[in-house]
Amino acid sequence: MDFPLKLIQLLRITNRVAALTGAGASQESGLRTFRDSQAGLWAQYKPEDLASPQAFAPLVSLESFSETSGVARDPKLIWDWYAWWREAVKGVRPNAGHYALAEIEKHISEFTIITQNVDGLHRMAGNQNVLELHGNIQRVRCSECYTFTETWGDDTESVPQCEVCGGLLRPDVVWFGESLPRDQLEAAVEASRTCEIFFSIGTSGVVQPAASLAYAARNRGAVVVEINAEATPLTPKADYFLQGKSGEILPELVKAVWG
Ligand code: OAD
């Protein structure tokens, strides 16, 4: 791919870069993107029905919401879905795009990865400065007292329970309608508002508040670079749209800038 000379020159001199990543960044590792994941075993469910506190915990305070939304309350279904996903993630490795982002971190003094992915692949690839906006699927915690645990029973009938308070265990990921981890979000907003270049990589840009970070960066004068297999709502606003797979484009970009 031929990259715009201006972008190459800018990357050589810039000190502050933020990169928002989404499921597309992990696609070449063999993980389905979020919106493609409703296939096979889980085809009959909408993401909102699986990734939601209403579906998981039949709490009294959520009762009316659950009734009006029509979401099935089935904690075991949700636990099983995430257990299946957790196992799938354990078997995957970072792809060439992840490694290229780790390489970029070596050249840019303030380089922040802001990821919506819960797979932990950026850290595995070597990036140190990673903000996980939607949590991490390998962490498990109590849905009530927030105690983290690394071991739990393998009961096929029900969701494992917290050893401290007896609450249901759940993955430490953000579900629809839940708040993002405040420290991660604040750091992501700060990185977006202060960067000189903002990358949006492999994300459809439709889930807030992550989607708004590119606009926060743009409003503060950052150059916005989108890398995606397809156009998204951000594309018309991006300064550069590099269409294709991040696992191919990012290594080529690193080579063009620092090779
Ligand atoms: P999506 O599945 O919505 O979008 C994936 C994007 O990646 C699409 O725009 C694809 O065109 C693009 N894509 C696919 N393969 C690619 C590749 N190899 N290289 C580059 N781009 C590629 O995933 P996200 O935008 O990450 O949130 O979804 C955001 C959030 O929505 C998820 O974190 C999840 C979901 O609701 C929660 O669970 C809270």
Side-chain angles (χ1 to χ4, degrees), residues 37-113:
S37 70
Q38 307 322 110
L41 200 53
W42 307 101
Q44 55 184 308
Y45 305 104
K46 285 189 278 175
E48 293 82 354
D49 290 352
L50 292 165
S52 84
Q54 290 76 31
F56 185 74
L59 301 175
V60 175
S61 59
L62 293 171
E63 199 148 13
S64 56
F65 186 92
S66 257
E67 275 163 13
T68 52
S69 72
V71 174
R73 291 185 202 161
D74 192 345
K76 184 68 168 88
L77 174 82
I78 314 305
W79 174 265
D80 285 348
W81 186 57
Y82 279 96
W84 167 82
W85 195 4
R86 190 185 303 119
E87 285 310 307
V89 165
K90 269 187 193 152
V92 302
R93 292 284 163 267
N95 64 57
H98 292 110
Y99 288 117
L101 289 169
E103 186 62 27
I104 293 177
E105 193 177 88
K106 293 181 190 159
H107 294 279
I108 310 263
S109 57
E110 285 179 47
F111 181 62
T112 310
I113 298 261

Side-chain angles (χ1 to χ4, degrees), residues 102-213:
E103 186 62 27
I104 293 177
E105 193 177 88
K106 293 181 190 159
H107 294 279
I108 310 263
S109 57
E110 285 179 47
F111 181 62
T112 310
I113 298 261
I114 305 164
T115 190
Q116 298 164 90
N117 299 340
V118 296
D119 52 36
L121 290 176
H122 288 300
R123 284 220 172 82
M124 207 187 286
N127 278 100
Q128 311 263 327
N129 194 13
V130 181
L131 301 171
E132 293 181 323
L133 287 187
H134 293 169
N136 190 309
I137 196 168
Q138 302 300 354
R139 289 192 303 258
V140 171
R141 66 169 173 86
C142 176
S143 57
E144 296 192 20
C145 74
Y146 227 96
T147 303
F148 285 88
T149 180
E150 297 199 345
T151 52
W152 53 87
D154 219 0
D155 188 340
T156 51
E157 297 295 313
S158 55
V159 176
Q161 288 174 307
C162 173
E163 282 186 357
V164 178
C165 76
L168 299 182
L169 294 181
R170 58 164 284 177
D172 188 34
V173 299
V174 175
W175 284 337
F176 287 95
E178 291 185 324
S179 305
L180 273 59
R182 180 190 280 246
D183 58 337
Q184 305 292 289
L185 180 60
E186 283 177 1
V189 170
E190 176 67 12
S192 304
R193 288 162 61 106
T194 55
C195 69
E196 293 157 335
I197 303 179
F198 183 96
F199 283 95
S200 175
I201 303 168
T203 174
S204 53
V206 294
V207 172
Q208 295 294 356
S212 65
L213 294 174

Side-chain angles (χ1 to χ4, degrees), residues 22-24 27-28 33-35 116 134 174 176 202-205 207 228-230 232 244-246:
Q27 185 262 336
E28 289 154 274
T33 60
F34 208 85
R35 261 149 262 287
Q116 298 164 90
H134 293 169
V174 175
F176 287 95
T203 174
S204 53
V207 172
N228 200 304
E230 291 165 16
T232 73
K245 295 186 166 192
S246 52

